[in-house]
Amino acid sequence: MTVLNLKPILKNRTLRADVVEKLKDAIISGDLPPGTKLVESQLSSLLGVSRGPLREAIRQLAEQGLIDNIPYTGTYVANITVQAIRELYSFRTELEQFAFKLVWEQRDDAFHDELILQLEKLSLAIKSDDHIATIFEELELHNVVYKHCGHALLQDTWQRLRGRLHLYFTLHQKAHNRTGPYINAHDKYVKLALGDDLPAMLDHITEHMQQGYQKVESLVSEIESQN
């Protein structure tokens, strides 16, 4: 198993939440590469926790698609494949378009203010050259429409997808050799989201999701060939 720089977790939150955060960070950063077998005894020792919360965390990350449980074989960091990236793009596009169809007639001042605030937070993270904050704030910007759409199952599906999207955004940064999107990359998205033309918004979602796709696919193809 790959040697990790994991440190014992702080116990000021639930153990499961802390273990989830540490493992997710290790996967997204590449410290735990795709295909790595997870050995419970080693992870338990490194993190300073019992196997109970560790197993709960692994189960949660499996639900998010970051970990694969293979019967009679073991638990592994999920492999990144071109097919998985394609499915992620297409599924995410459909989800976000559906969310906007639901929210369109319900948009209010709270929706407007939150979207503007998140754009400001994302811009600040980009200007600060903080790639971790940039990914978080970009996901939070897209999260606004799901929060306000009034569809619990859609919201749950989006939350389950966020782990894989976080990993994708990290790959996107690597493929484009920068710490985040361009400073104005979401201006049109927000403008249309607050405008009056739903078809234009839906078309832009498709366009927005495709930005940089070819470079990411090439990077994933290279990673896949090395595994």
Side-chain angles (χ1 to χ4, degrees):
M1 183 175 176
T2 306
V3 176
L4 305 176
N5 294 317
L6 293 176
K7 298 178 181 179
I9 63 174
L10 300 176
K11 295 181 173 60
N12 58 340
R13 299 187 304 170
T14 65
L15 286 176
R16 179 186 55 77
D18 279 327
V19 175
V20 166
E21 180 181 344
K22 292 293 185 182
L23 290 179
K24 182 184 289 186
D25 287 347
I27 292 170
I28 290 171
S29 68
D31 284 344
L32 279 172
T36 300
K37 186 172 184 178
L38 301 180
V39 180
E40 285 189 4
S41 59
Q42 184 180 24
L43 290 175
S44 177
S45 176
L46 286 169
L47 293 169
V49 298
S50 65
R51 296 195 185 187
L54 176 61
R55 286 170 180 165
E56 291 175 3
I58 288 174
R59 189 179 304 115
Q60 180 174 333
L61 291 173
E63 290 176 354
Q64 296 177 7
L66 294 179
I67 288 175
D68 290 331
N69 289 313
I70 303 176
Y72 311 112
T73 303
T75 304
Y76 299 82
V77 176
N79 277 313
I80 303 168
T81 65
V82 171
Q83 179 63 25
I85 291 294
R86 288 173 180 165
E87 291 179 1
L88 181 61
Y89 266 97
S90 60
F91 188 48
R92 184 188 172 205
T93 298
E94 294 292 333
L95 283 182
E96 199 138 327
Q97 287 176 332
F98 182 40
F100 269 101
K101 289 176 184 177
L102 292 173
V103 83
W104 202 252
E105 300 302 328
Q106 305 176 48
R107 294 172 300 161
D108 54 14
D109 290 343
F111 175 83
H112 175 279
D113 293 346
E114 190 168 356
L115 201 59
I116 294 297
L117 176 61
Q118 278 307 137
L119 181 61
E120 292 173 352
K121 288 182 177 180
L122 175 58
S123 298
L124 180 60
I126 295 171
K127 290 177 182 177
S128 300
D129 205 29
D130 186 336
H131 71 95
I132 295 176
T134 296
I135 291 175
F136 176 79
E137 299 300 351
E138 186 170 358
L139 285 169
E140 283 297 293
L141 176 68
H142 287 279
N143 185 50
V144 173
V145 67
Y146 296 97
K147 286 176 61 178
H148 290 266
C149 73
H151 194 297
L153 182 57
L154 181 58
Q155 292 166 348
D156 182 63
T157 303
W158 160 252
Q159 291 303 324
R160 289 173 181 272
L161 197 65
R162 283 188 63 155
R164 274 173 281 185
L165 283 173
H166 199 144
L167 179 58
Y168 155 68
F169 283 167
T170 303
L171 289 172
H172 192 279
Q173 291 178 352
K174 184 175 180 180
H176 292 80
N177 194 30
R178 59 176 188 262
T179 57
Y182 291 119
I183 192 69
N184 62 349
H186 290 78
D187 290 355
K188 185 177 180 180
Y189 175 94
V190 172
K191 181 179 179 180
L192 288 171
L194 300 177
D196 301 317
D197 192 341
L198 177 58
M201 182 73 235
L202 299 181
D203 288 343
H204 178 68
I205 289 171
T206 300
E207 174 189 337
H208 185 75
M209 301 302 174
Q210 287 295 320
Q211 291 175 358
Y213 173 78
Q214 293 300 325
K215 284 189 177 182
V216 175
E217 183 179 295
S218 297
L219 176 63
V220 172
S221 180
E222 180 181 340
I223 293 173
E224 193 175 0
S225 68
Q226 294 172 356
N227 294 329

